[in-house]
Amino acid sequence: DRIVRLDLLVRREYTTYYGLISTCIRRYLDARFDLQALGSTTEELRWTMESLRLDRWQARVIRGLLEECDAAKWAHYEPVHARAERALTIAFEIVDLTPSPEDAAPLEGHLAANRS
């Protein structure tokens, strides 16, 4: 919500905008899954999510958003306005749709039992 209030898109401050989104999502992942996301590259985080068997769809969405953030932060990528707005929407969806570890545990057990 703070990112929205800063009005960075209106000022076309994409580096700051995407940097804040990246930091926010990484902090969320650290708090939710203890992934040490703030201290990891996007590629390292991808590997960690895969090794912990985080939901594939969710991991892909997170990776895609963080790669877009990396492009804006490091390669000065300037997306069209609608795409930049979508990045924040995706960040909200990651937070809203991520099951808690308690909710995910029974599902993971169910999937493992069904694979046998």
Side-chain angles (χ1 to χ4, degrees):
D1 290 334
R2 182 176 75 90
I3 296 169
V4 173
R5 289 191 305 271
L6 292 173
D7 250 356
L8 296 167
L9 287 181
V10 172
R11 296 192 312 261
R12 300 178 54 96
E13 293 181 27
Y14 298 114
T15 302
T16 303
Y17 175 77
Y18 277 99
L20 289 172
I21 290 173
S22 176
T23 300
C24 181
I25 291 300
R26 289 171 183 278
R27 283 185 177 158
Y28 174 77
L29 293 172
D30 283 346
R32 186 66 159 229
F33 299 106
D34 194 28
L35 296 181
Q36 299 181 6
L38 278 172
S40 302
T41 66
T42 299
E43 188 60 23
E44 289 168 338
L45 185 56
R46 178 198 61 80
W47 184 85
T48 300
M49 289 187 296
E50 286 178 5
S51 69
L52 295 175
R53 297 191 177 173
L54 192 66
D55 178 79
R56 276 187 183 176
W57 172 83
Q58 184 180 12
R60 285 181 187 154
V61 171
I62 292 166
R63 179 181 175 197
L65 177 60
L66 292 178
E67 286 175 343
E68 187 172 347
C69 291
D70 290 348
K73 289 186 328 186
W74 308 117
H76 306 291
Y77 163 69
E78 291 191 16
V80 295
H81 188 79
R83 184 166 179 103
E85 285 179 330
R86 186 180 67 84
L88 194 55
T89 300
I90 291 169
F92 277 116
E93 289 175 352
I94 289 168
V95 172
D96 290 343
L97 299 176
T98 303
S100 69
E102 298 81 32
D103 293 339
L107 179 60
E108 290 170 4
H110 177 72
L111 291 175
N114 286 334
R115 289 185 194 148
S116 307

